[in-house]
Amino acid sequence: QKEYDDAVGHYRKALDIFPLNNSARFDLSRALYRQGDFEESLRELLKVRESKSEGAFTDLYNALLPEIDGDGS
């Protein structure tokens, strides 16, 4: 649990400096998910979605969103 607490803190600091870094935002979302903070994790994922990021990262995000949002099978 402590490692996820540390990770969340580091990702938040990175986003303070580089707020458009979707890779850091996605990793923050994963760390929050692993902490059990599903609502905040989803909020961070939705911020990535709103940024209309392109490429493989977006494909990965789109693949994971249904699972986290509860729509996955």
Side-chain angles (χ1 to χ4, degrees), residues 5 10 15 51 56 58 70 73:
D5 293 342
H10 290 298
L15 289 166
S51 75
T58 301
S73 49

Side-chain angles (χ1 to χ4, degrees), residues 4 6 12 15 18 22 25 33-34 37 43 46-47 49 53 55 57-58 69 72:
Y4 296 123
D6 291 344
R12 289 195 191 281
L15 289 166
F18 301 105
N22 282 334
R25 192 168 304 281
Y33 185 84
R34 290 192 171 126
D37 191 348
R43 276 193 286 275
L46 292 174
K47 288 178 186 177
R49 183 180 191 185
S53 175
F57 175 76
T58 301
D69 197 23

Side-chain angles (χ1 to χ4, degrees), residues 26-69:
F26 181 77
D27 289 340
L28 170 60
S29 176
R30 288 180 51 195
L32 289 165
Y33 185 84
R34 290 192 171 126
Q35 280 184 316
D37 191 348
F38 306 118
E39 289 182 24
E40 184 65 19
S41 173
L42 181 58
R43 276 193 286 275
E44 293 300 330
L45 277 178
L46 292 174
K47 288 178 186 177
V48 173
R49 183 180 191 185
E50 290 168 3
S51 75
K52 299 188 183 347
S53 175
E54 306 261 341
F57 175 76
T58 301
D59 294 339
L60 176 61
Y61 158 77
N62 287 332
L64 292 176
L65 182 62
E67 176 184 328
I68 293 172
D69 197 23

